[in-house]
Amino acid sequence: MNANQSVKKTSVKTTRERAKGTTNSSPSLSPWLAGVAMVSALIFVLALSLRQGAVQLSWHEFGLALLRQGDLRYQTILWDLRLPRVIAAAIVGSALGLSGALLQGMLRNSLASPFLLGISAGAGLAAVAILSLGIWQIWLPMGAWLGGVLTIVLVYLLARTGTGISVERLILGGVALSSLFGAAQSMLLLLAPEGQTQAALSWLIGSLNGRCGQEITVAGPSILVSLIAGCLLARQLNVLSLGDDLATGLGTSLMRSRIIIGLVATLLTAGAVSIAGLVGFVGLIVPHGVRLLIGTDYRLVLPFSLLGGALVLSAADLLSRLGPTEVPVGIVTAVMGAPVFLWLLYRSRNTVGGL
């Protein structure tokens, strides 16, 4: 009897430690070392992004312009053109990285991303409708945001069962709505005038070209609030990673947790899409790379996914501007992300459960 009680107490203690993340798998790097490296790399990339472009600034010219001294032309380039774009890249990347980590943890699916649940497709449909129908384009950020939010509400309604929210129904509903909204986007593009079609296609590919303070002012506050809220959901994600039965046994409401996590991820994705359009692979790849670096404890995975997303998209935006002709950042992230994802698949072929 004493032995059985001891085994039960040990099992309960281990379960609670896993819920808190204290039994995290051994990370490849110390979290402090990884954090310092990522922050340093992000600062370096942001500085390079402010210097590089059609007009390249030397470090001396960059320093003077940063202090609002020297040539007025360089000051205008730095403060009015490049700085809003660099800020937009960092905000959008952090939002996509964190939303991907939230969705992968909530669904316990390593392939989960904002595209899987139809959030990006809903935001994209709203944006294409505004662009192709010639509606006042100042409503574009708000329309894309509302499209993403309404889509996730519909997905959750489809996923409801008598006892809660089914993960399988969430995924299937998201895939079905993504296909439906994709068809609607294609129809709107076919019917739209030529000039408006080009603008809509450019937005669907994902681009940061021409982004100014207006887009950041509209979507930035909701993204920043959602980033803070998302990082506070680590404990719920650690509990959900134990499985539905253990999570329920620990007193967690599965429906409430999934609704809150899904809502925060939706606000992040919709805000990012309203600024930069449909930028793929960031929300899919970044959480995988973070888990390889610092382990699977979501108390670390979430903030590091935020940093990693900002770093990846800022680097992609920098690469998109290095050639003689600027390439949309969505193409760059796809070119960067696909080989990395294939490498992750190859690397994890001998691990239990794969990715």
Side-chain angles (χ1 to χ4, degrees), residues 65-220:
L66 195 61
L67 297 174
R68 293 192 179 275
Q69 299 176 6
D71 194 325
L72 289 177
R73 182 183 55 161
Y74 295 155
Q75 294 181 42
T76 302
I77 290 172
L78 177 63
W79 287 95
D80 297 340
L81 299 179
R82 292 184 184 170
L83 185 61
R85 177 171 181 157
V86 167
I87 293 175
I91 291 177
V92 170
S94 61
L96 293 175
L98 183 58
S99 65
L102 289 171
L103 292 175
Q104 289 178 13
M106 179 186 75
L107 300 176
R108 297 195 298 274
N109 187 328
S110 58
L111 294 178
S113 72
F115 286 86
L116 183 65
L117 293 186
I119 304 170
S120 296
L125 176 60
V128 169
I130 291 173
L131 290 170
S132 60
L133 298 178
I135 303 174
W136 200 20
Q137 292 191 15
I138 195 173
W139 292 103
L140 178 59
M142 183 59 68
W145 187 85
L146 288 175
V149 172
L150 292 177
T151 299
I152 199 63
V153 170
L154 183 56
V155 169
Y156 270 105
L157 290 176
L158 292 172
R160 288 194 63 183
T161 62
T163 58
I165 293 177
S166 167
V167 172
E168 292 78 9
R169 291 172 67 90
L170 268 177
I171 297 174
L172 292 174
V175 171
L177 288 179
S178 293
S179 300
L180 177 62
F181 292 161
Q185 290 174 18
S186 300
M187 180 60 68
L188 287 173
L189 291 174
L190 286 173
L191 298 176
E194 184 176 349
Q196 294 170 345
T197 300
Q198 186 62 36
L201 284 174
S202 176
W203 193 89
L204 283 175
I205 294 172
S207 175
L208 291 167
N209 185 27
R211 297 304 180 265
C212 60
Q214 177 185 341
E215 291 88 352
I216 300 173
T217 302
V218 173

Side-chain angles (χ1 to χ4, degrees), residues 196-281:
Q196 294 170 345
T197 300
Q198 186 62 36
L201 284 174
S202 176
W203 193 89
L204 283 175
I205 294 172
S207 175
L208 291 167
N209 185 27
R211 297 304 180 265
C212 60
Q214 177 185 341
E215 291 88 352
I216 300 173
T217 302
V218 173
S222 67
I223 292 178
L224 292 177
V225 172
S226 300
L227 288 173
I228 296 172
C231 290
L232 297 177
L233 295 173
R235 183 184 180 278
Q236 287 91 324
L237 289 169
N238 280 333
V239 172
L240 290 177
S241 68
L242 302 175
D244 290 356
D245 293 338
L246 283 176
T248 303
L250 290 172
T252 298
S253 171
L254 298 179
M255 177 181 288
R256 183 178 60 189
S257 295
R258 285 173 178 150
I259 288 176
I260 293 174
I261 295 169
L263 177 61
V264 172
T266 300
L267 293 176
L268 289 169
T269 303
V273 170
S274 71
I275 295 176
L278 303 185
V279 179
F281 273 101

Side-chain angles (χ1 to χ4, degrees), residues 284-326:
L284 179 63
I285 294 299
V286 168
H288 287 297
V290 167
R291 285 192 289 266
L292 288 175
L293 285 176
I294 50 91
T296 58
D297 183 357
Y298 278 94
R299 293 176 301 176
L300 297 174
V301 170
L302 295 181
F304 274 88
S305 295
L306 186 156
L307 280 175
L311 175 59
V312 168
L313 193 59
S314 297
D317 181 50
L318 174 61
L319 292 174
S320 72
R321 293 186 281 124
L322 292 181
T325 303
E326 181 175 329

Side-chain angles (χ1 to χ4, degrees), residues 48-57 77 82 85 318 321-323 326:
L48 282 181
S49 297
L50 291 172
R51 287 186 58 237
Q52 299 293 329
V55 178
Q56 184 172 346
L57 305 180
I77 290 172
R82 292 184 184 170
R85 177 171 181 157
L318 174 61
R321 293 186 281 124
L322 292 181
E326 181 175 329

